[in-house]
Each structure stands twice: as C-alpha cells, then as structure tokens.
Amino acid sequence: MSDSACRSCGSAPLDSFLSLGETPLADALLREEALSQPEPRFPLEVAFCSRCALVQILEEVPPQKLFVDNYLYFSSFSDELLRHTRENAERLIAERGLDENSLVVEIGSNDGYMLRNFVERKIPVLGIDPAPDQAAAAAEAGVPTLTEFFGADLARRLVAEGRYADVIIANNVMAHTPELNSFVEGISVLLADDGVASIENPSVRDLIDHAEFDTIYHEHFCYFSCTAIDNLVRRHGLSLNAVDHFPLHGGSLRWTVGREVDVQPSATAQLASEREAGLTELGFYAEFGDRVERIRDELLELLRRLRAEGNRIAAYGAAAKGSTLVNYVGIDTDLVEFVVDRNVHKQGLYMPGVHLPIRDPAVLLEEPVDYLLLLAWNFRDEIVAQQEAYRERGGRFIVPVPRPEVIA
Ligand code: DWN
C-alpha cells in the first residue's frame, strides 16, 4: 500500500505491485568527465489505483529535470515511427477535412516529426514542447513551437488569443506529465467544439502481457489502459469515442477523444475486454514482479554464459528503456562492452548508472562482436534488417523481453 494519491482520481491508498529499485534517470546520459561524479537515483515503484484503474509510479521527478536539462530524445531517428506518424497525419487530414483554415496542435511535438506532415499540406500547425533543442529542430522543419509544458493555463492563454484546435495530437506525451488532470483539462479547453484529440500511448496491457518492464522509468508517470483513460477524460467533459491498437513501442493504443459523445464499437469492445481480462483489478498486476525477477535472472545467466564461452557482446539502442534494463539487471562493461545508437546526440556519451559507452553503429563493421543485446527491441524488425552485414558475418541478437531469446 502507498499513501500517495492517484494522479487521475486523487484516491488513496494505491496498491504498489512492482519495485525496480533506485535507478538513475533513464535519459540522463553522461559525458566522460561526469563519470566519476555521483549520479542521482530515485525509487522506481509502480502502483495501481483500484478506483480508476490507473497504473502509475509513485516517485515524482521534476519534469524540468527530465525533459529540459539536456534531453536527448529525437523522434526522427526511427523510420518505422516516421512511417506510422505520416499514416496517422494523412488519416486525420482526410477524416477531418483539414485545410488552410484549420489548426492542428501537437503536445510533445519534439523535432516536428509529426507536424511537418501537415506543414507540407499547408495546414496551420502549432507545436508545444519544453525541450529547447527539439523545438529548435522543429522550427527548422517549419513547425512553429512553443517551448513550454502543456496544461490548462497554456490552453486558456491560447484560446484567449482566439486559437482553438480542430485536432490536438498527443502521442507518447500524456504519460509524461505529473499534472494529468491539468493536461486533460487543457485539451478540453483548447479543443474546438467539433474538434478531436488523437492520443497515443503504450498499452499497460501489452506491458504486462509481454513483460515490457523496461518501459517503466521516471519519464513515464502513468501507464494507461482504456478504462483509466475513459475515467480520466469523462472528468473533463470529454468522451472516449474510438480506440485503435497497433504494435508500435511494444503495443500502443490510440484513443480518439471529443466533446461530442460518439462512442464507437472499438471503444466499447476494448473496455469490455479489459474488464473481462481483469485490468480493472489488482490481481492482473500482482504477479508481475515475480515474472520480472525471473527475466532478470535468466538474462544475467545468459550473458554470463556467453561471456564465459569467450563471446564479445555489445548492445543496440541507447534507449531510455535500455537504461532501466541495464541498471535493473546489472549489466555493466564486464558483460556488454558498448552500446551503438544512430542518434548522433547520444554518441560519445555513456548510459547512466552502468556507464556503457555509446558509439556509432558503423563500429559494428570493424568490431568482431558476436552478440548484440537489443535494448531497442521495439524496433527489432527495422534494426535487424538494417544490420544485414553484421548478421551475414554470423552476428546474432539477444532480445531481452518477453523472455531472453537469441535470434540470428
Ligand atoms: O516515451 C518515450 C518513447 C516513445 O521514446 C520517451 N519518453 C523516450 C523514448 O523512449 P526510448 O528512448 O526507449 O525510445 P526509442 O525510440 O525506443 O529508443 C530507440 C533508440 O534506438 C533511440 O536512441 C534511437 C535508436 N535507434 C537506432 O540507433 N537505430 C533506433 C532505430 C530505429 C535505429 O535503427
């Protein structure tokens, strides 16, 4: 039990069901000169609210520390993600009849990876993202961006200027705010009367079903089910009208939300399915901690055995989820020599906690690495296809979740 109040409905106590220990901030990659300095660590504990079904972490690291001070995540380093967002943009343009008289607002617009699809079609856009480097990259892509956190106050400022959104996009951002009710209230304030909000986040059901425990880190305050979303948006006069499920990021949900109540079978079916599967009860989450410990032990045993047999192991993807995995399992340079990552802003830095050096994937052509631990497993197909030369010389991958598995 925890006396923390639910971030959505405010009820207490919450039922804690998993602890990943005290971990460093997942995206707080280090410069070499910082390796000898102490790194802040914070408890990473997950709890369930039996009243509104929201899964959430108990610790609250200030968002300024998470997303502004040296935030290195740029969305445009994944072809699969760029393809997914283009399809989403084209669907919204067609379904909503967007044109030069419309306004599309994206919360968490990062480097403009999504809104640039609307800019190309001469549809007015506004990005909102507190990370200065990403906002600067967006501006270069023709996406005007407010470098701020989103909430009800900002929404009220925008509508005071007469700016109402025909479409609000919030992909992989609603989990990132500790002020969940202000965030959703802001959507309700900013949305035009016949507007629609398209909200995407990883699915907590997939997280549990596929043991994606590494997607738990301090940037993600919440882990959503449709039930939790339905309870949350109703509180702010909005209706969960449609739900789509797709494999991105290990399994994600897209919730279509509007002021008008127009609930589609896709929403009704998902809510019923969650009730039947037990996502509205603590029991669904209760055994997860034991499963996570088994994965940790199996992965550690596999890595140690491969190293004892003389194999060289590196890792692929200096992902935030990778930080959770290597720190919770205890994977340091004795087991994994380095991590490769295409994000040039991460190369030359070190993973937090275990201090794995991050290098350009091109080094794989010179270094005779035998195994690559796939920290960015959510882009498995894209990365395996990309690393054909590595595979042709016999290199193999280790996929850590849902169970550690070696693939060629
Ligand atoms: O919610 C979040 C998710 C959506 O993205 C953010 N809080 C932070 C971030 O989490 P992540 O760092 O775990 O995301 P990714 O996109 O799964 O990380 C993939 C990493 O792998 C990136 O650093 C880019 C890199 N990468 C690569 O080097 N080569 C990715 C691909 C596809 C590649 O081909």
Side-chain angles (χ1 to χ4, degrees):
M1 287 291 187
S2 158
D3 54 9
S4 298
C6 176
R7 297 180 188 283
S8 175
C9 72
S11 70
L14 300 173
D15 293 303
S16 175
F17 64 86
L18 173 71
S19 173
L20 295 176
E22 301 235 336
T23 64
L25 298 182
D27 269 323
L29 306 185
L30 301 170
R31 300 188 185 292
E32 186 155 11
E33 56 270 20
L35 295 180
S36 56
Q37 291 162 21
E39 283 177 80
R41 288 173 172 264
F42 303 88
L44 194 48
E45 189 174 355
V46 192
F48 172 74
C49 174
S50 54
R51 183 171 152 207
C52 76
L54 182 66
V55 174
Q56 53 208 286
I57 60 172
L58 298 176
E59 188 66 19
E60 190 162 311
V61 176
Q64 177 77 21
K65 198 175 185 57
L66 290 167
F67 304 113
V68 179
D69 305 341
N70 193 33
Y71 188 58
L72 295 168
Y73 177 74
F74 287 75
S75 302
S76 295
F77 282 100
S78 162
D79 300 338
E80 179 189 345
L81 182 61
L82 292 176
R83 192 168 46 251
H84 170 82
T85 45
R86 174 173 288 278
E87 289 166 5
N88 188 8
E90 288 167 356
R91 175 187 65 85
L92 285 164
I93 292 168
E95 287 180 3
R96 310 300 299 175
L98 301 176
D99 59 23
E100 66 280 2
N101 301 310
S102 309
L103 175 62
V104 177
V105 175
E106 183 178 13
I107 309 165
S109 47
N110 197 271
D111 56 8
Y113 75 109
M114 173 70 167
L115 287 179
R116 66 187 185 193
N117 294 293
F118 297 92
V119 171
E120 286 169 10
R121 302 279 289 272
K122 309 264 186 287
I123 296 166
V125 301
L126 177 65
I128 300 170
D129 198 297
D133 295 345
Q134 287 76 352
E140 282 177 24
V143 174
T145 302
L146 291 177
T147 314
E148 297 189 48
F149 287 99
F150 180 76
D153 290 348
L154 174 53
R156 278 189 275 274
R157 282 195 355 242
L158 291 171
V159 298
E161 297 165 5
R163 300 167 88 175
Y164 286 89
D166 299 288
V167 171
I168 295 175
I169 297 165
N171 293 347
N172 296 299
V173 61
M174 196 161 76
H176 297 62
T177 176
E179 304 300 333
L180 192 54
N181 280 297
S182 175
F183 189 98
V184 179
E185 181 188 353
I187 290 177
S188 182
V189 166
L190 185 58
L191 206 54
D193 286 345
D194 60 348
V196 68
S198 180
I199 303 169
E200 289 182 17
N201 268 97
S203 150
V204 73
R205 186 173 191 175
D206 286 303
L207 191 162
I208 301 293
D209 285 351
H210 307 304
E212 297 165 356
F213 71 91
D214 51 349
T215 61
I216 296 169
Y217 40 88
H218 297 97
E219 292 174 21
H220 294 166
F221 292 89
C222 300
Y223 303 81
F224 293 115
S225 61
C226 298
T227 307
I229 292 291
D230 188 47
N231 287 322
L232 172 63
V233 300
R234 285 170 184 271
R235 192 175 306 120
H236 298 280
L238 297 170
S239 172
L240 173 57
N241 287 334
V243 178
D244 296 283
H245 179 269
F246 41 87
L248 189 70
H249 290 312
S252 292
L253 291 165
R254 175 188 297 140
W255 301 289
T256 300
V257 172
R259 227 184 285 288
E260 181 190 349
V261 177
D262 180 21
V263 181
Q264 302 299 303
S266 62
T268 312
Q270 281 281 355
L271 292 168
S273 173
E274 288 184 357
R275 276 193 302 277
E276 285 157 29
L279 272 88
T280 54
E281 308 293 332
L282 176 61
F284 183 81
Y285 309 92
E287 304 308 313
F288 189 55
D290 294 342
R291 289 171 57 204
V292 170
E293 285 177 10
R294 280 198 297 275
I295 293 166
R296 175 196 61 198
D297 297 344
E298 279 183 32
L299 180 56
L300 212 44
E301 191 281 326
L302 171 63
L303 295 173
R304 284 172 175 161
R305 176 170 59 79
L306 292 175
R307 290 288 292 124
E309 291 166 358
N311 295 287
R312 290 184 62 184
I313 307 174
Y316 194 115
K321 64 175 75 65
S323 290
T324 293
L325 187 93
V326 296
N327 278 286
Y328 172 69
V329 176
I331 299 171
D332 59 17
T333 48
D334 289 345
L335 292 171
V336 168
E337 296 178 38
F338 56 85
V339 183
V340 295
D341 195 294
R342 279 202 314 188
N343 180 340
V344 293
H345 306 284
K346 296 185 178 182
Q347 293 169 7
L349 301 179
Y350 292 77
M351 297 285 281
V354 291
H355 298 174
L356 302 182
I358 303 166
R359 304 174 67 183
D360 184 322
V363 302
L364 294 175
L365 299 175
E366 302 122 37
E367 296 279 355
V369 165
D370 302 295
Y371 291 88
L372 276 176
L373 175 60
L374 199 48
L375 298 178
W377 48 262
N378 50 316
F379 293 123
R380 166 179 171 166
D381 295 345
E382 180 175 347
I383 293 168
V384 169
Q386 173 201 108
Q387 293 303 322
E388 194 175 346
Y390 165 76
R391 288 159 51 222
E392 277 174 359
R393 64 168 179 72
R396 278 171 283 183
F397 291 90
I398 300 166
V399 182
V401 295
R403 299 292 292 274
E405 175 194 12
V406 174
I407 62 168

